[in-house]
C-alpha cells in the first residue's frame, strides 16, 4: 500500500516536472525567433520582408540575413499618399502601387553588408533593409 502510494507520488512529480520543463523550455526558443525582426519570415529557404506603405513606410529599418534569396512585400491599405509611388534603386524597381494590395519586389540574394533602400517618388519617405 505505502510503496504504491510513494511510487505514484514519484511518478506524479516526474510528470509535473517534465511538463513544467517542457513549458518553460518553449518561451526560450520562441523568444530567440522574436529577436529577429518580426517582419521577416523565412519560408522554404526564401526570406520575405514585409513593409507597410501608408503615410510613409513601416518599419523604417529591417535587419535581414545575407546569402538568402529575398523578396520584399510592400503592403498598401487605402494608401493614397506618395508612399504608394515606390522606388527601390538597387534592383531598378519603380512603380506606383495599387492603393490596396501587395507588391512583391525581388531583391535577389543580398550579401552581408548590403543595404537596400526603398524611397517614395518624391524622396520624402524611405525605409532601409540592412543585411547582416
Ligand atoms: Cu513622398
Amino acid at each position: 500500500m505505502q510503496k504504491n502510494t510513494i511510487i505514484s507520488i514519484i511518478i506524479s512529480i516526474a510528470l509535473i516536472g517534465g511538463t513544467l520543463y517542457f513549458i518553460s523550455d518553449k518561451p526560450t526558443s520562441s523568444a530567440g525567433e522574436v529577436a529577429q525582426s518580426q517582419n521577416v519570415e523565412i519560408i522554404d529557404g526564401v526570406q520575405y520582408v514585409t513593409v507597410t506603405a501608408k503615410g510613409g513606410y513601416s518599419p523604417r529599418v529591417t535587419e535581414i540575413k545575407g546569402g538568402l534569396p529575398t523578396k520584399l512585400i510592400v503592403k498598401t491599405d487605402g494608401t493614397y499618399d506618395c508612399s504608394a509611388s515606390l522606388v527601390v534603386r538597387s534592383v531598378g524597381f519603380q512603380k506606383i502601387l495599387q492603393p490596396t494590395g501587395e507588391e512583391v519586389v525581388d531583391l535577389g540574394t543580398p550579401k552581408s553588408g548590403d543595404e537596400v533602400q526603398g524611397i517614395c517618388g518624391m524622396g520624402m519617405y524611405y525605409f532601409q533593409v540592412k543585411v547582416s
Side-chain angles (χ1 to χ4, degrees), residues 47-113:
Q47 184 166 233
Y48 295 89
V49 186
T50 307
V51 171
T52 303
K54 190 171 182 173
Y57 301 104
S58 157
R60 293 280 293 274
V61 179
T62 303
E63 289 200 26
I64 64 165
K65 285 183 193 166
L68 285 173
T70 303
K71 301 207 189 271
L72 169 69
I73 300 168
V74 184
K75 285 191 177 177
T76 46
D77 182 13
T79 305
Y80 294 99
D81 59 87
C82 68
S83 56
S85 90
L86 175 67
V87 179
V88 184
R89 277 197 204 106
S90 59
V91 292
F93 178 90
Q94 185 167 1
K95 194 169 177 179
I96 295 171
L97 310 179
Q98 295 291 317
T100 299
E102 280 187 19
E103 183 73 32
V104 180
V105 183
D106 194 345
L107 299 182
T109 304
K111 289 186 209 113
S112 174

Side-chain angles (χ1 to χ4, degrees), residues 82-83 85 120-125:
C82 68
S83 56
S85 90
C120 76
M122 288 162 56
M124 192 166 62
Y125 301 123

